[in-house]
């Protein structure tokens, strides 16, 4: 039963029409920029080049993929009213939510990692030689789960979830990491950058702002992991509890 | 199987159902009511999508809200017309079979079985997006019967089915009911309900207005006034003979002069008197009929009263 | 004078044939379009409106050829589709007036007429509310209203009573009946609910597998040979049946408490015998009418005949 | 003979009917009516003019200061050194985010919601064609968008024409009004085409909005990255390569900026009068690449919308 929920959710997220825009984004935009990044940041070494492409494109695309795909966990079903078929089956609700979340986050992580691979392949002209790639994939996976948990909770609590998610992904997540003082601790991206440990972009303020590295980021990798895992667990448990306890009905048309 | 004690449910300020007390056992039970009478709310309460705001609702002795133990024994055909449109009918039912806890192979076998039961075998491999309303209904019914539940709730199941499909489906439900399953059908197409049900619940503005089996309904029919039309060549004589009866409220002659229309308070007594008039007084009639001798007029009578 | 003439109409989607050489004539008044699911009723309606190009065959609607004059036809035809449909974000008045404007009415006329049509359709104060909050019954009403707003000469109704409760159905049928008689407006109703068709229509056209199966007036379809009678009893009574059979009557299997009985003689005589028998066997006669075939039976016969 | 009691049962409509062609205006009218009913429309429209307001305040203070101090000659007023058309370009650049939000508000749901509500059944069962539908929907976004862009720009133009002819407002470019009228059409044309395309691909307005926002922001990051690269290279004294300048314009915002610069025929100048700031402005792009690109994107979008809008679902 768990397997069926999981596999159905994976298949739903991996539908051709859904995946193709992300692959296009990775294969054309990310790869294109990665291959030519030296033009834009002359004199930078390969590590810095990769770090710039990764922070500017891959991590922002991760937030975008997550914001859009997370709505398939629940919101889409609620909006489409098909949720009733799932809620009236002998499956505990938390299982339903958890396995759909798992599937969705894994797909998001995979798609984001493909983008990272494109970035790496572009900068290093091949798959080898990049010591950051593994760390990045780890950070992206953690990020997929963290964004997934957060957006899922937003979806459970709000009606217009996608707009809130997009505002968070592009507003909050690009602005807050660059804020002075300890504000940057309130952004998921800060911790992901801590896990990825990208080299500094140097004196280039413009690029630093884009790669969310303006703020004082002195978090260690392990702190990044621990914070994110606690964050994910708390959010998922809270979400599952909320989903089990409250009614999830499509909006009542004045019957 | 279902016991409701003082169940009420409201949404914000809008009341869905108000103080429902009832028990539903095996066999087919019809849930009747106008649009907005609370039928769907009641079904949603029973299927555990909603919690009663006040009161206590038990299904198989358990609280149904988000309770897998209840769902294991309950099938539900919702009134919505929404599916995973890009799935084929078969894949849709298969997926739900897996959610019912069946293994892939058992699920597939059972899927084929129920799809065959609703007569969709040849069409089940097409995408649901291309289905007509009738086909959609059939798929919804198929998924409700998947795990061979003891209790089946059907919200407007016959909408959009053609007459042949309706007949097949009513036979199917009849067969299930004979196996001792409880089936709750909400509908507002009364002549259909009349054909398949044994007992009914009538909701009106959120309240339970009437409950009972056919016998109760029968006597309900007899306690409200009937319009009876008698076709005869001698309407005035018929009127004279019948006017003596105490339970006649009014009489009216047709313009064409070959029929008389009566309003009768106690139909049971009246029909005996009519037979007596024909047999003993030699009144000749070509025919008589009453549009009120059925569920639809009881319904109207009760709701309008 | 016929409203629509259809000759050898063939419609294919890919290799699927939806209409297979359909020919029929739809005359003025109210016509019921019957057929099982997937028989091609909806396709026929869509073809009449020019949504679908026929593969072969011709049809004229209100004197226009469907292939040459799609827009002219659509200005004179109103469609009430089966699915719920509305313009998002509008109130009922806006929606109906807009439908009128789309059909070519000047804006000020459209508003006036929208109110008028909504009155006919029995939509009261709710007309100033957003359409998206409407119940099924109200949605059906505005669908009808938007089909009527531009004063069509032909109205196509696809399952008009779907999802309506008994009172709503009654009103809807009454409305359809009143607009289709004596107002210069012809109506084609497609429905699965045969009692509804019986209430409002004068004629029916039965379609199956894309072909015409039967057409004619309802009266003709319902006639039965041999003048049997239907006797309705209060409760089922086997004793009554045996006694009637003893009288030499042919008793057909009962439908609930209604027995169809064939006995020679005038109805007056039969009535007398039946009442006598019923009284003797302890049953009560609740109704006695000359039997007619129900439209449902006629329909089932038409579609099962090969 | 007229009866004293009117017959109020159903009657046919026998008033005037326009010929069943060109129904698009009715469609556009309703689209506009519905968008202008939203509060957000007015709020974001007002906000989109904020740079003009800042400019006016700036002018006011400079003039007050100049006239009060008195001793400083007319020549010293910073107003005299302004490149006037660049003020319009800057205000346009600042309004882009708001115009995007407006487009999101008006356009994202326009066809997607119709798909969900099956509104096409209503449209197409009336005498209006798919072409009417597309034109109507397009105009329904284009007209309000253009008006929102035009009103503050034209008011500002009138104000400057009255007050600052002495500061070279007229002599710098007498054809400015014609160029402005061209610039005003840019966001309406692009956004109405793009939103129609995206909207037509979805059944839910929100999903269409999400995707539109995604396209906008991801492409916006390209522009931002290129701007960062351009500025840092210019500061470092090197001349940024053509690809940086080209890619800077490869986004929803960038494409509009490119068109605006081409139409105004300017490289732009910094928003605050910093001496030497002009070298950080990405220069005017090639007319022969970006004008066809702009119209290509619009045409392609309309083509997508056209192919996605289907009259009836074919039920097999």
């Amino acid at each position: 039963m768990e397997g069926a929920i999981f596999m159905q959710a994976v298949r739903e997220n991996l539908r051709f029409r859904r995946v193709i825009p992300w692959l296009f984004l990775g294969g054309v935009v990310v790869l294109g920029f990665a291959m030519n990044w030296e033009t834009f940041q002359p004199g930078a070494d390969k590590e810095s080049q990769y770090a710039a492409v990764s922070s500017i494109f891959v991590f922002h695309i991760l937030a975008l993929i997550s914001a859009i795909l997370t709505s398939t966990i629940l919101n889409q079903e609620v909006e489409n009213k098909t949720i009733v078929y799932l809620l009236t089956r002998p499956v505990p609700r938390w299982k339903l939510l958890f396995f759909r979340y798992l599937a969705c986050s894994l797909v998001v992580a995979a798609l984001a990692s493909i983008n990272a691979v494109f970035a790496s392949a572009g900068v290093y002209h091949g798959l080898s030689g990049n010591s950051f790639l593994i760390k990045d994939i780890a950070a992206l996976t953690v990020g997929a789960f963290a964004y997934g948990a957060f957006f899922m909770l937003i979806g459970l609590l709000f009606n217009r979830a996608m707009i809130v998610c997009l505002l968070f992904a592009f507003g909050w997540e690009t602005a807050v990491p660059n804020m002075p003082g300890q504000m940057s601790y309130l952004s998921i991206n800060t911790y992901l950058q801590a896990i990825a440990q990208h080299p500094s972009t140097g004196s280039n303020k413009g690029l630093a702002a884009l790669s969310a590295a303006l703020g004082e980021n002195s978090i260690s990798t392990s702190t990044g992991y621990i914070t994110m895992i606690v964050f994910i667990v708390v959010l998922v448990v809270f979400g599952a509890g909320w989903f089990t306890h409250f009614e999830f009905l499509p909006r009542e048309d004045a019957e | 199987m279902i016991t409701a004690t003082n169940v009420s449910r409201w949404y914000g300020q809008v009341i869905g159902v108000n103080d429902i007390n009832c028990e539903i056992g095996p066999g087919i039970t019809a849930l009747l009511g106008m649009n907005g009478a609370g039928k769907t709310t009641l079904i949603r309460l029973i299927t555990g999508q909603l919690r009663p705001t006040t009161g206590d609702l038990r299904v198989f002795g358990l609280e149904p809200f988000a309770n897998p133990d209840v769902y294991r024994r309950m099938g539900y055909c919702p009134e919505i017309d929404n599916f995973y449109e890009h799935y084929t009918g078969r894949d849709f039912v298969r997926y739900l079979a897996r959610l019912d806890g069946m293994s892939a192979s058992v699920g597939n076998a059972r899927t084929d079985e129920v799809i065959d039961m609703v007569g969709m075998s040849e069409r089940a491999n097409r995408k649901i997006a291309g289905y007509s309303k009738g086909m959609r209904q059939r798929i919804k019914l198929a998924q409700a019967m998947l795990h061979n539940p003891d209790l089946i709730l059907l919200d407007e199941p016959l909408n959009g089915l053609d007459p042949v499909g309706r007949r097949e489906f009513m036979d199917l439900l009849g067969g299930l009911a004979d196996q001792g399953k409880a089936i709750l059908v909400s509908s507002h197409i009364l002549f259909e309900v009349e054909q398949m049900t044994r007992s009914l619940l009538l909701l009106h503005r959120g309240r339970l207005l009437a409950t009972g089996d056919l016998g109760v309904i029968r006597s309900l029919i007899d306690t409200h006034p009937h319009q009876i039309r008698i076709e005869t060549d001698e309407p005035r004589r018929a009127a004279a003979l019948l006017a003596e009866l105490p339970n006649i409220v009014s009489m009216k002659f047709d313009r064409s002069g070959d029929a008389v229309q009566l309003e009768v308070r106690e139909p049971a007594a009246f029909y005996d008197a009519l037979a007596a008039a024909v047999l003993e007084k030699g009144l000749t009639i070509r025919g008589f009929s009453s549009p009120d001798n059925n569920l639809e007029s009881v319904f109207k009578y009760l709701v309008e009263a | 004078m016929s409203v629509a003439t259809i000759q050898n109409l063939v419609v294919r989607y890919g290799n699927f044939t939806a209409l297979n050489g359909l020919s029929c004539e739809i005359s003025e008044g109210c016509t019921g379009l019957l057929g099982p699911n997937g028989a091609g009723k909806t396709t026929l309606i869509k073809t009449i409106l020019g949504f679908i190009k026929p593969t072969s065959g011709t049809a004229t609607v209100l004197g226009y050829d469907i292939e040459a004059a799609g827009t002219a036809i659509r200005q004179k035809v109103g469609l009430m589709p089966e699915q719920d449909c509305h313009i998002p974000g509008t109130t009922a008045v806006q929606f109906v007036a807009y439908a009128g404007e789309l059909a070519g009415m000047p804006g000020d006329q459209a508003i006036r007429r929208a109110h008028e049509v909504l009155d006919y359709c029995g939509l009261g104060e709710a007309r100033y509310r957003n359409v998206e909050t409407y119940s099924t019954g109200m949605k059906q009403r505005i669908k009808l209203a938007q089909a009527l707003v531009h004063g069509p000469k032909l109205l196509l109704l696809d399952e008009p009573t779907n999802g309506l409760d008994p009172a709503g159905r009654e009103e809807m049928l009454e409305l359809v009946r009143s607009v289709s008689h004596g107002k210069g407006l012809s109506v084609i109703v497609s429905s699965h609910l045969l009692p509804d068709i019986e209430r409002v229509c004068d004629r029916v056209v039965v379609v199956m597998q894309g072909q015409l199966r039967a057409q004619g007036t309802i009266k003709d379809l319902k006639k039965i040979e041999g003048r049997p009678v239907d006797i309705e009893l209060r409760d089922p009574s086997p004793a009554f049946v045996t006694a009637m059979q003893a009288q030499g009557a042919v008793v057909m299997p009962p439908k609930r408490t209604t027995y169809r009985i064939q006995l020679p003689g005038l109805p007056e005589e039969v009535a007398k015998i039946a009442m006598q028998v019923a009284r003797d066997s302890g049953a009560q006669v609740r109704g006695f009418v000359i039997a007619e075939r129900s439209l449902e039976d006629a329909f089932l016969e038409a579609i099962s005949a090969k | 003979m007229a009866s004293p009691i009117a017959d109020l049962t159903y009657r046919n409509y026998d008033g005037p009917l326009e010929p069943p062609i060109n129904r698009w205006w009715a469609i556009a009218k309703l689209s506009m009516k519905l968008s202008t009913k939203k509060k957000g429309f007015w709020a974001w429209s007002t906000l989109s003019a904020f740079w003009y307001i800042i400019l006016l305040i700036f002018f006011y203070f400079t003039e007050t200061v100049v006239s009060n101090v008195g001793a400083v000659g007319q020549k010293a007023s910073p107003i005299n050194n302004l490149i006037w058309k660049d003020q319009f370009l800057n205000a346009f650049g600042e309004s882009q985010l708001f115009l995007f939000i407006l487009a999101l508000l008006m356009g994202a749901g326009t066809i997607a919601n119709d798909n969900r509500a099956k509104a096409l059944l209503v449209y197409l069962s009336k005498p209006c064609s798919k072409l009417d539908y597309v034109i109507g929907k397009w105009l329904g976004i284009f007209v309000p968008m253009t008006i929102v862009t035009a009103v503050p720009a034209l008011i500002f133009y009138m104000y400057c024409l009255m007050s600052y002819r002495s500061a070279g407002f007229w002599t710098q470019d007498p054809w400015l009004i014609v160029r402005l009228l061209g610039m005003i059409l840019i966001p309406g044309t692009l956004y109405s085409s793009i939103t129609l395309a995206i909207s037509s691909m979805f059944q839910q307005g929100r999903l269409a909005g999400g995707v539109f926002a995604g396209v906008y922001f991801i492409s916006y990051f390209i522009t931002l990255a290129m701007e960062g690269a351009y500025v840092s290279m210019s500061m470092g004294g090197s001349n940024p390569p053509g690809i940086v300048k080209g890619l800077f314009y490869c986004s929803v915002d960038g494409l509009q900026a490119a068109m605006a610069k081409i139409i105004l025929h300017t490289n732009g100048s910094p928003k605050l009068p910093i001496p030497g700031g002009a070298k950080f402005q990405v220069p005017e792009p090639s007319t022969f690449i970006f004008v066809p690109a702009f119209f290509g994107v619009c045409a392609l979008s309309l083509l997508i919308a056209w192919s996605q809008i289907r009259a009836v679902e074919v039920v097999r």
Side-chain angles (χ1 to χ4, degrees):
Chain A
M1 187 196 300
E2 294 82 9
I5 301 172
F6 180 77
M7 285 316 294
Q8 190 266 350
V10 169
R11 244 178 279 133
E12 190 65 12
N13 281 313
L14 284 181
R15 273 167 67 198
F16 185 71
R17 276 187 59 163
R18 289 227 165 112
V19 169
I20 209 71
W22 307 119
L23 293 182
F24 172 82
L25 210 56
V28 177
V29 178
V30 176
L31 187 67
F33 275 99
M35 285 171 78
N36 301 302
W37 196 256
E38 204 172 355
T39 327
F40 310 125
Q41 207 181 348
D45 53 9
K46 296 233 181 224
E47 273 90 50
S48 308
Q49 285 181 33
Y50 172 75
V53 175
S54 173
S55 322
I56 295 174
F57 291 103
V58 179
F59 278 81
H60 281 126
I61 290 175
L62 166 75
L64 180 67
I65 302 179
S66 190
I68 289 181
L69 287 197
T70 304
S71 71
T72 61
I73 297 182
L74 205 69
N75 284 55
Q76 195 179 304
E77 301 254 2
V78 172
E79 213 157 285
N80 203 4
K81 298 183 183 169
T82 45
I83 189 88
V84 297
Y85 295 113
L86 307 180
L87 291 189
T88 54
R89 298 279 146 189
V91 188
R93 285 193 182 183
W94 67 266
K95 265 193 194 172
L96 201 62
L97 191 73
F98 180 73
F99 285 100
R100 290 175 78 92
Y101 161 71
L102 203 65
C104 178
S105 302
L106 284 177
V107 170
V108 173
L111 289 174
S113 301
I114 290 174
N115 278 330
V117 171
F118 274 126
S120 170
V123 172
Y124 289 87
H125 303 291
L127 289 174
S128 57
N130 184 359
S131 55
F132 288 102
L133 185 58
I134 299 299
K135 265 198 239 165
D136 257 17
I137 289 178
L140 289 170
T141 311
V142 172
F145 278 92
Y147 282 125
F150 185 66
F151 293 153
M152 177 173 78
L153 196 64
I154 291 179
L156 284 168
L157 301 181
F158 297 100
N159 253 342
R160 306 201 142 226
M162 189 176 283
I163 295 301
V164 179
C165 293
L166 284 168
L167 282 179
F168 178 82
F170 291 112
W172 185 267
E173 287 291 282
T174 45
V176 170
N178 293 331
M179 288 193 180
Q182 316 215 302
M183 268 304 273
S184 62
Y185 292 143
L186 293 180
S187 157
I188 295 176
N189 204 358
T190 309
Y191 297 96
L192 300 183
Q193 295 299 335
I195 293 172
Q197 290 291 342
H198 286 154
S200 148
T201 34
S203 60
N204 189 338
K205 288 276 181 209
L207 289 180
L210 279 170
S211 45
L214 266 186
E216 299 148 33
N217 193 342
S218 53
I219 306 167
S220 69
T221 310
S222 52
T223 318
Y225 271 116
I226 292 166
T227 317
M228 282 293 96
I229 287 168
V230 170
F231 177 77
I232 292 166
V233 170
V234 168
L235 258 55
V236 170
V237 168
F238 183 66
W242 186 278
F243 186 55
T244 313
H245 193 72
F246 288 96
E247 292 162 356
F248 277 85
L249 264 193
R251 186 176 59 83
E252 200 64 28
D253 305 312
E255 197 200 352
Chain B
M1 289 184 177
I2 304 171
T3 320
T5 334
N6 301 330
V7 171
S8 302
R9 163 75 207 198
W10 52 87
Y11 313 90
Q13 300 192 7
V14 183
I15 194 133
V17 295
N18 188 353
D19 207 20
I20 303 278
N21 281 297
C22 67
E23 256 182 61
I24 298 169
I28 303 180
T29 306
L31 185 57
L32 304 177
M34 318 263 280
N35 287 337
K39 299 188 300 282
T40 300
T41 306
L42 184 59
I43 288 197
R44 285 181 177 165
L45 284 167
I46 297 171
T47 52
Q49 299 174 64
L50 297 174
R51 267 187 235 269
T53 320
T54 62
D56 184 48
L57 181 73
R58 300 271 161 177
V59 179
F60 308 120
L62 302 165
E63 278 193 26
F65 186 79
N67 188 342
D69 292 331
V70 170
Y71 297 137
R72 242 183 283 286
R73 300 172 59 191
M74 176 197 280
Y76 172 46
C77 165
E79 84 287 10
I80 54 166
D81 194 24
N82 306 62
F83 296 89
Y84 302 135
E85 299 282 336
H86 56 281
Y87 272 42
T88 66
R90 195 181 299 279
D91 285 344
F92 177 70
V93 180
R94 270 188 187 159
Y95 171 53
L96 295 178
R98 294 300 305 281
L99 288 187
D100 279 331
M102 299 180 204
S103 69
S105 57
V106 175
N108 289 356
R110 184 63 192 158
T111 299
D112 294 347
E113 230 170 280
V114 288
I115 282 183
D116 191 51
M117 266 161 101
V118 295
M120 285 287 292
S121 296
E122 298 114 65
R123 294 167 291 184
N125 290 337
R126 285 196 234 142
K127 291 231 160 105
I128 295 181
Y131 278 11
S132 68
K133 187 128 188 180
M135 288 152 87
R136 285 159 175 263
Q137 288 290 5
R138 284 166 201 254
I139 285 296
K140 258 171 29 188
L141 299 168
Q143 62 83 27
M145 297 186 295
L146 259 176
H147 46 309
N148 204 10
D150 300 327
L151 169 64
I152 304 180
L153 294 124
L154 307 161
D155 206 347
E156 302 284 348
L158 299 176
N159 248 348
L161 282 178
D162 61 33
V164 187
R166 268 160 216 264
R167 250 180 212 194
E168 285 169 8
F169 192 69
M170 283 192 258
D171 291 344
L172 184 65
L173 286 187
L176 289 172
D178 290 343
Q179 293 168 27
K181 299 187 184 307
I183 299 172
L184 183 64
V185 184
S186 101
S187 177
H188 39 230
I189 302 174
L190 293 172
F191 64 89
E192 289 173 354
V193 173
E194 231 177 333
Q195 285 168 39
M196 63 186 186
T197 180
R198 207 179 53 74
S199 61
L200 62 81
L201 296 175
L202 177 55
L203 286 174
H204 187 53
R205 297 188 183 144
R207 307 269 308 265
L208 197 58
L209 184 60
T211 48
D213 59 10
L214 274 185
V216 176
I217 297 160
R218 203 65 241 177
S219 47
L220 268 179
I221 291 175
D222 282 356
T223 51
H224 80 265
H226 278 204
Q227 298 278 343
I228 298 168
R229 187 185 150 90
I230 300 174
E231 282 181 44
T232 168
D233 287 337
E234 34 185 15
R236 283 174 197 279
R237 181 162 172 254
L241 283 172
L242 296 170
E244 294 162 19
L245 300 173
N247 45 26
I248 289 192
V249 182
S250 74
M251 286 185 164
K252 211 169 92 191
F253 296 102
D254 261 24
R255 288 231 175 102
S256 53
D258 57 359
V260 56
Q261 186 118 11
L262 309 172
E263 194 183 341
V264 178
R265 204 178 292 129
E266 288 158 54
F270 169 78
Y271 283 114
D272 283 338
L274 179 65
V278 171
L279 296 173
E280 280 140 30
K281 311 265 173 62
L283 178 69
T284 59
I285 56 171
R286 267 199 317 276
F288 63 96
S289 59
S290 162
D292 294 339
N293 196 14
N294 56 35
L295 191 54
E296 189 147 357
S297 57
V298 176
F299 180 87
K300 214 154 106 200
Y301 173 73
L302 287 175
V303 165
E304 282 166 7
Chain C
M1 140 111 201
S2 72
V3 177
T5 315
I6 293 153
Q7 268 162 357
N8 279 319
L9 202 64
V10 178
V11 174
R12 287 203 187 90
Y13 308 124
N15 51 13
F16 173 74
T17 309
L19 289 182
N20 188 9
L22 180 78
S23 299
C24 67
E25 189 111 338
I26 291 165
S27 48
E28 267 178 16
C30 191
T31 308
L33 183 58
L34 307 182
N37 289 335
K41 299 185 302 270
T42 307
T43 306
L44 179 61
I45 288 178
K46 285 176 178 170
T47 314
I48 285 178
L49 285 171
F51 290 176
I52 300 171
K53 290 263 166 288
T55 315
S56 68
T58 56
T60 56
V61 177
L62 301 167
Y64 296 103
D65 184 77
I66 55 163
E67 283 194 77
T71 46
I73 289 176
R74 294 207 293 272
Q75 194 168 33
K76 294 218 157 45
V77 174
L79 168 71
M80 173 178 172
E82 183 185 358
Q83 299 100 319
D84 282 342
C85 60
H86 58 265
I87 307 288
T90 54
T91 64
V93 178
Q94 263 182 327
F95 171 41
V96 175
Y98 182 47
E101 279 189 64
L102 287 177
M105 295 165 80
D108 42 359
Q109 287 287 327
I111 293 271
R112 181 191 67 69
R113 172 77 180 171
H115 280 285
E116 192 177 312
V117 171
L118 286 168
D119 283 336
Y120 301 135
C121 296
L123 206 66
E125 288 301 309
R127 69 181 62 169
Y128 304 108
R129 244 172 53 198
N130 192 320
V131 178
E132 270 151 77
T133 64
Y134 276 18
S135 66
T136 322
M138 290 153 88
K139 278 184 184 157
Q140 294 286 49
R141 286 166 207 259
I142 52 161
K143 266 157 60 181
L144 180 63
Q146 64 83 22
L148 279 173
V149 64
H150 54 298
K153 294 284 171 284
L154 173 64
L155 188 60
L156 304 171
L157 308 176
D158 204 349
E159 299 284 352
T161 55
N162 224 344
L164 293 179
D165 60 28
R169 235 178 82 218
E170 189 91 353
E171 281 176 43
M172 176 64 77
L173 293 176
E174 201 38 59
L175 188 65
V176 172
R177 186 156 185 92
S178 74
V179 301
S180 61
H181 290 81
K183 310 282 183 181
L185 173 61
S186 299
V187 181
I188 298 178
V189 187
S190 149
S191 176
H192 288 317
L193 298 173
L194 298 172
D196 290 0
I197 296 279
E198 218 168 324
R199 282 271 310 274
V200 299
C201 297
D202 315 312
R203 300 167 53 82
V204 289
V205 170
V206 182
V207 181
M208 193 186 170
Q209 287 166 352
Q211 284 170 320
L212 183 73
R213 271 304 159 86
Q215 67 173 334
T217 62
I218 290 185
K219 240 184 210 142
D220 289 343
L221 282 173
K222 287 173 67 172
K223 241 178 226 155
I224 308 186
E225 304 276 309
R227 303 195 67 168
V229 292
D230 277 342
I231 298 174
E232 193 182 348
L233 302 184
R234 186 180 190 275
D235 302 295
S237 165
F240 173 75
V241 176
T242 20
M244 277 314 275
Q245 277 163 342
Q247 293 278 336
V250 183
V251 183
M252 277 156 255
K255 248 172 98 182
R256 278 168 296 155
T257 59
T258 304
Y259 297 84
R260 181 160 296 178
I261 282 165
Q262 196 154 4
L263 200 65
L266 289 172
E268 285 88 343
E269 294 159 12
V270 179
K272 211 161 181 174
I273 296 171
M275 283 185 152
Q276 185 66 55
V277 170
R279 191 196 262 188
D280 295 345
S281 50
Q284 188 185 52
V285 180
R286 279 289 170 101
F288 181 92
V289 286
I290 307 223
E292 279 182 325
R293 216 153 51 142
S294 74
L295 188 57
E296 183 164 345
D297 291 332
F299 169 72
L300 290 175
E301 189 176 297
I303 63 167
S304 57
K306 189 59 213 154
Chain D
M1 192 177 70
S3 149
I5 298 165
D7 177 15
L8 289 184
T9 56
Y10 179 80
R11 61 171 176 181
N12 251 322
Y13 172 76
D14 41 19
L17 271 184
E18 284 150 23
I21 45 166
N22 300 337
R23 303 314 308 150
W24 46 264
W25 180 240
I27 301 176
K29 227 166 52 183
L30 185 86
S31 292
M32 288 187 263
K33 213 191 280 172
L34 291 181
S35 339
T36 48
K37 236 174 43 184
K38 294 178 185 158
K39 283 196 204 96
F41 174 83
W42 296 103
W44 295 115
S45 302
T46 316
L47 280 177
S48 75
F50 87 102
W51 192 255
Y52 289 112
I53 296 169
I54 288 184
L55 280 178
L56 289 179
I57 294 171
F58 169 73
F59 289 175
Y60 176 78
F61 275 107
T62 349
E63 273 187 42
T64 332
V65 168
V66 166
S67 59
N68 279 352
V69 173
V72 188
Q74 265 276 326
K75 279 281 174 209
S77 166
I79 294 175
N80 292 356
N81 302 328
L82 286 178
I83 302 172
W84 287 101
K85 56 186 169 188
D86 286 356
Q87 304 315 312
F88 289 98
L89 182 70
N90 287 339
F92 177 66
E94 289 299 317
S95 71
Q96 279 186 321
L97 181 68
F98 300 103
L99 294 179
F100 156 72
I101 294 174
L102 275 179
L104 193 66
L105 210 67
M106 295 193 291
T110 184
I111 297 180
N113 286 337
D114 275 3
N115 285 344
R116 180 174 49 79
K118 303 199 174 80
L120 236 64
L121 270 173
V122 179
Y123 285 108
L124 297 173
S125 68
K126 297 280 180 273
C128 68
S129 65
K130 199 162 126 180
L131 189 66
D132 287 330
Y133 181 72
V134 174
I135 295 178
K137 287 286 179 190
W138 193 86
L139 280 178
I141 304 165
F142 174 81
V143 173
M145 197 76 160
T146 305
I147 291 175
V148 169
T149 330
V151 168
L154 294 182
I155 291 177
F156 189 72
Y157 179 86
M158 285 310 292
Y159 175 74
C160 292
L161 193 64
M162 305 287 198
S163 312
Y164 298 112
R165 273 200 306 268
S166 59
F169 186 77
W170 179 259
T171 46
Q172 267 183 19
D173 188 350
W175 292 104
L176 183 60
I177 183 69
V178 180
R179 292 181 190 277
L180 271 185
L181 288 178
M183 184 190 84
I184 283 160
L185 301 177
I186 298 169
T189 314
L190 187 69
Y191 279 134
S192 48
S193 312
I194 293 183
T195 51
L196 278 198
I198 292 176
S199 194
S200 69
M201 287 190 274
F202 294 93
Q203 301 277 335
Q204 291 165 17
R206 270 174 239 176
L207 207 55
V211 170
F212 178 44
V215 168
Y216 178 85
F217 281 116
I218 288 287
S219 69
Y220 183 61
F221 280 125
I222 299 179
T223 295
L224 274 185
M226 290 306 111
E227 194 178 7
Y230 188 90
V231 170
S232 69
M233 284 179 206
S234 304
M235 278 203 289
S238 59
N239 187 23
I243 181 85
V244 174
K245 298 176 202 161
L247 279 175
F248 174 80
Y249 295 112
C250 286
S251 69
V252 179
D253 269 3
L255 203 54
Q256 295 177 66
M259 277 303 279
K261 282 184 181 173
I262 290 168
I263 291 176
L264 292 176
H265 193 57
T266 176
N267 289 336
S269 55
K271 280 164 198 149
L272 300 170
I274 315 158
K279 78 171 175 182
F280 298 130
Q281 300 297 313
V282 183
E284 181 188 338
S286 151
T287 310
F288 297 105
I289 297 173
F290 279 92
V291 172
F294 180 85
F295 287 106
V297 167
C298 293
L300 182 71
S301 301
L302 288 177
L303 204 67
I304 292 174
W306 180 262
S307 68
Q308 286 286 322
I309 298 168
R310 240 168 266 133
V312 275
E313 292 105 87
V314 174
V315 177
R316 279 149 202 257

